[in-house]
Amino acid sequence: MADNQIKFFLELIRMNMKHSYALKTAFWLRVLFMLISNGIMLVGWGVMFHQFQSINGWTFSDFMFMTGLNITAFSIWSLFFRGTGIYMAHLIENGGLDHFLLTPKNILFHISCSASNPAGWGDFITGFCLILASNLFCFSNVFLVLIFLICSVLCFLTIGFFFSALNFWLTGFSDLSERLFYIFFNLSGYPGSIYSDWAKILLLTVFPIGFISILPVEILKTFSLPSFLYLITGISFLFIGSILFFYNGLKRYKSGNQVNTRGYQ
Amino acid sequence: MRPFFLLIQSSFKFQKKQLPVIGTRLVLLLILICIFNQFWQIVKDGNSATAQINPVDFIWYLMIGALLQYSRPEGLHYQIEQEIKTGNIAYKMLRPISVISIYFFSGLGSFLFRLPLLFIVSALFLLVLKGGELPQTFDAVPVIFLLLLLSGIFISLCTVFIGLSTLWLQDSLPLFWILQKAEYILGGLFFPITLYPQWLQEIALATPFGWIGYGVSRLIYDYTPQAAFETGIHILFWIIILLIFNHISYTFLRKRIAINGG
C-alpha cells in the first residue's frame, strides 16, 4: 500500500517536472530570477543586522537559519505539494473534485501533489545554502534540522488544507484563501525575536507560523526538551486537525458536473 | 479624454466588488505596521542612527511607503501575460484606444480606489496605536498624497511593463518578484535608506524606487518644499522613461501580432 503511494507520488512529481520544463526559458528564468529576488531580500536584511548587530538576541546567523528553513520548507511545498493552495481552493469552489473522488488514490494526497511551481527550485537552492551557511547548523544536528524541516513543511500544508477546506463552507472564498495563505507565509519571514510575548503565544497556537520562525532557532540555540516536544506534538495536532477539517468539509462537496480532461499545473 | 475617464470609472466599479480582497491586504498592512512598531521599539535604543528618528515618525514613514505596495493594481501583470499568451490581446488592439492605455488606466483606477481607502484606515489605526500623536511634519500630508498619486502613475506603468515583458521572458512573474523586492529594499520600505551604508544609498537613489518609496515617505518627518519638488521631478523623470519603455514594447507587440496573427 505505502509502496504504491510512493510510486504514485514519484510519478506525479515526474509529470509535474515535465510540465514545468516544457517552456525551458521560462523555467530557468523563474529559477534564476527567484535566486536574484531572494538575494536582494537578504542584502536588505543583512544591512539591517549590520546596522543593529543583533535584534533582541538574534544575530544575522540566526536569521539566516530561520529564513533558510522557511524558504526550503516553502520550496518543498511549492515543488511537490502546491496543489494545497489556490489550486485546491478553485477545485472545491468550481466543483472540480469529481476526477479525484473517482480514482482509488487518497484524495488529499492526490490533489496536493497535482501542482508544482518551478520557481521553487530557486527557493530550494537559496534556502539550502542559507541553512548550511548559518552558524546554528553543524553536522551533529543534521537530524534535528531535518525534523524542523519536516515540521515546517507540515505547517505550510496545515495552513493550505485549512484555507482550501474553508471553501466547502464559504462560496467565492478561493481568491481570499490564497491571500490568507500568503499572509501567513509573509509573517513567517520576520525574525522571531521581534514579537512580543502575546504575539508569540498567538504564533505558537492559532497562527502556527511560530513553529517555523520562532521555535526551531530557539531550540537550536538552547535545547529544551519541552519546547522540542511542543513543536512535534503541536504541529502533529494541527496537521491532523486540518486533515479532519478537510474531510468534514468534503461531506458538503457539490459536483460541478464538469466534462473535461484534467491537466497538471 | 472621456474614454480614459470611463476606463478609470469601470475599474472603480470593479474594485467595489473586490472589497474582501482589499480587506485582506489592509489586514496584512496593519499587521506589518504592528510588527515594525514592535521592531522599532527594540532597535531604537543604543543606535545613533535610529535615535534621530522618533517612533511616531518611523511608523508613519513605514505606513506611507507600504501604502504604495498595498494599493498597487493586483494581478494586472498576470492579466496582460495571459492575454499575450492566448493571443486575446489582438482583439483589444482593434479598439480605438491604445492597448497600453487600456491597461494603464484600469490599473490607475484600481490604485486610485485603494490608496485613499487604505490611507484613511491605516492613518486612523496609527493614531490609535500612538495615542493620537502626530508625526513632525503632518502638515505635509496633502503634498505627500499628491506625490503618492504620481507614484501611483509610475507603479501602474511599471505593472503594465512587467506584463508586457512576457513578450521577451515568456512569463511576467519573475520580473515582478525582483521589482517587488527592489521596492522593499531600495525603496526603503523597511527602514529609511539613511540607515543604509553610503554605497547602497547611492544605488537606491539612482533607481526610481528610492524616490517613490523613501523620497515620498521621508516627507512625513523631514518636509521641505525643495525636497518635495526634487522628489516630484525624479518621479516624473522615471515616468517618462517608463512611457518610452512601454512604447517600445507596444511597437514590438504590434510586430509580433502582425507576424503571428494574434
Side-chain angles (χ1 to χ4, degrees), chain A residues 6 8 27 30 39 42 47 52 56 66 70 81 84 86 101 118 132-133 158 196 207 230 242:
Chain A
I6 292 167
F8 179 61
F27 176 87
R30 277 193 172 207
L42 274 171
V47 165
F52 304 121
N56 227 8
M66 186 214 76
N70 186 11
F81 305 105
T84 46
I86 185 79
L101 287 166
L132 291 183
T158 301
S196 63
F207 306 113
Y230 180 72
S242 68

Side-chain angles (χ1 to χ4, degrees), chain B residues 158-173:
Chain B
C158 196
T159 311
V160 173
F161 179 72
I162 293 169
L164 292 174
S165 71
T166 310
L167 290 164
W168 294 279
L169 304 176
Q170 298 180 353
D171 209 346
S172 67
L173 203 56

Side-chain angles (χ1 to χ4, degrees), chain A residues 30 48 51 179 190 194, chain B residues 32 38 47 74 171 191 195:
Chain A
R30 277 193 172 207
M48 274 179 228
Q51 180 72 256
R179 280 175 177 84
Y190 298 106
I194 64 172
Chain B
L32 190 83
Q38 180 72 22
N47 188 299
E74 262 180 294
D171 209 346
F191 290 100
L195 297 181

Side-chain angles (χ1 to χ4, degrees), chain B:
Chain B
M1 286 302 281
R2 195 164 175 272
F4 302 131
F5 284 118
L6 287 174
L7 278 167
I8 292 178
Q9 198 182 21
S10 78
S11 178
F12 244 74
K13 282 182 183 166
F14 177 70
Q15 290 302 313
K16 282 182 190 167
K17 291 182 180 168
Q18 294 280 304
L19 280 175
V21 172
I22 299 171
T24 53
R25 289 185 81 77
L26 181 65
V27 169
L28 185 58
L29 175 64
L30 299 184
I31 292 174
L32 190 83
I33 288 173
C34 288
I35 290 175
F36 274 87
N37 182 41
Q38 180 72 22
F39 186 66
W40 197 253
Q41 301 293 336
I42 294 167
V43 298
K44 74 176 166 50
D45 299 322
N47 188 299
S48 57
T50 52
Q52 291 164 7
I53 306 165
N54 78 50
V56 178
D57 289 344
F58 169 74
I59 209 72
W60 276 83
Y61 167 90
L62 184 85
M63 184 269 274
I64 290 167
L67 272 179
L68 267 184
Q69 274 281 333
Y70 288 84
S71 307
R72 71 178 322 139
E74 262 180 294
L76 181 63
H77 66 92
Y78 182 70
Q79 184 199 335
I80 300 172
E81 178 193 311
Q82 289 306 310
E83 289 186 2
I84 288 174
K85 281 183 176 173
T86 55
N88 285 346
I89 199 165
Y91 297 107
K92 281 196 173 159
M93 289 173 81
L94 296 172
R95 294 179 190 173
I97 315 168
S98 141
V99 69
I100 304 278
S101 304
I102 296 175
Y103 292 134
F104 167 68
F105 282 102
S106 61
L108 189 64
S110 156
F111 184 86
L112 291 177
F113 183 87
R114 290 171 182 218
L115 181 70
L117 189 71
L118 296 182
F119 183 83
I120 291 167
V121 179
S122 43
L124 288 173
F125 180 75
L126 285 190
L127 286 175
V128 174
L129 191 74
K130 291 291 171 190
E133 210 178 326
L134 293 171
Q136 281 184 50
T137 48
F138 186 73
D139 301 349
V141 163
V143 179
I144 291 172
F145 207 78
L146 279 176
L147 288 171
L148 279 174
L149 292 179
L150 210 54
S151 304
I153 294 175
F154 174 85
I155 292 272
S156 302
L157 282 171
C158 196
T159 311
V160 173
F161 179 72
I162 293 169
L164 292 174
S165 71
T166 310
L167 290 164
W168 294 279
L169 304 176
Q170 298 180 353
D171 209 346
S172 67
L173 203 56
L175 190 63
F176 176 72
W177 291 327
I178 291 192
L179 290 177
Q180 196 185 31
K181 298 285 162 60
E183 272 177 51
Y184 270 112
I185 303 305
L186 300 175
L189 249 63
F190 287 155
F191 290 100
I193 60 171
T194 42
L195 297 181
Y196 291 174
Q198 192 61 33
W199 61 271
L200 195 54
Q201 285 185 39
E202 281 166 15
I203 291 175
L205 291 176
T207 67
F209 308 113
W211 295 102
I212 63 163
Y214 168 76
V216 178
S217 312
R218 68 166 163 167
L219 298 174
I220 199 71
Y221 64 86
D222 187 19
Y223 174 78
T224 58
Q226 290 84 353
F229 182 73
E230 188 189 19
T231 305
I233 289 292
H234 274 93
I235 298 172
L236 271 175
F237 168 76
W238 285 107
I239 286 174
I240 293 166
I241 297 286
L242 265 181
L243 280 171
I244 296 168
F245 271 42
N246 280 339
H247 181 73
I248 294 168
S249 306
Y250 182 61
T251 315
F252 186 70
L253 175 73
R254 281 177 62 175
K255 272 187 197 161
R256 276 238 168 154
I257 296 284
I259 293 166
N260 298 324

Side-chain angles (χ1 to χ4, degrees), chain A residues 16 22 36 50 75 77 86 100 110 187 195 198 200 221 241:
Chain A
N16 281 330
I36 297 172
H50 178 73
S75 71
W77 172 83
I86 185 79
F100 297 94
H110 193 168
L187 290 180
Y195 297 112
W198 276 107
K200 277 184 183 168
K221 285 176 88 173

Side-chain angles (χ1 to χ4, degrees), chain A residues 24-40:
Chain A
K24 286 191 187 68
T25 317
F27 176 87
W28 288 112
L29 273 175
R30 277 193 172 207
V31 174
L32 179 72
F33 278 39
M34 182 52 90
L35 281 169
I36 297 172
S37 154
N38 287 335
I40 294 173

